[in-house]
Amino acid sequence: MDLNSSILVTGTIKLLNDLITSLTGISILVATVMGIYYLARKSSCDEQEGKMLTRRLFVAIGCCVLITIIKVLIQVITSYYT
């Protein structure tokens, strides 16, 4: 039995690719909105709260980068099945 032509494998790969595309778009949008929100709050806060918001901004950017890396890894893994 050829694994590449199996309905289970091809369907799972298509599902993963569609899921990755939609989740990547949503996660980048959420990270961008969070970054804008933290920058807006940082402009009108005191010094100590500004440090906290800067840390949160870096976490939001880091999450966006991490999601992109995970997307690429999953695409590389699924490319071996085709």
Side-chain angles (χ1 to χ4, degrees), residues 17-80:
N17 287 334
D18 292 341
L19 187 67
I20 289 169
T21 303
S22 62
L23 286 179
T24 302
I26 291 170
S27 63
I28 290 174
L29 179 68
V30 168
T32 304
V33 169
M34 286 174 54
I36 292 170
Y37 172 72
Y38 291 143
L39 284 175
R41 281 193 57 194
K42 186 178 176 185
S43 67
S44 64
C45 67
D46 61 356
E47 186 176 333
Q48 186 169 355
E49 190 179 4
K51 290 178 183 179
M52 179 187 66
L53 290 173
T54 302
R55 190 174 335 122
R56 287 183 182 177
L57 179 65
F58 285 129
V59 168
I61 292 170
C63 287
C64 188
V65 169
L66 186 65
I67 289 167
T68 306
I69 291 171
I70 290 172
K71 173 191 172 191
V72 169
L73 285 175
I74 291 174
Q75 285 178 338
V76 166
I77 291 169
T78 57
S79 70
Y80 286 109

Side-chain angles (χ1 to χ4, degrees), residues 3-16:
L3 190 62
N4 288 338
S5 62
S6 171
I7 294 174
L8 181 64
V9 172
T10 56
T12 304
I13 290 173
K14 288 180 183 178
L15 177 68
L16 281 174

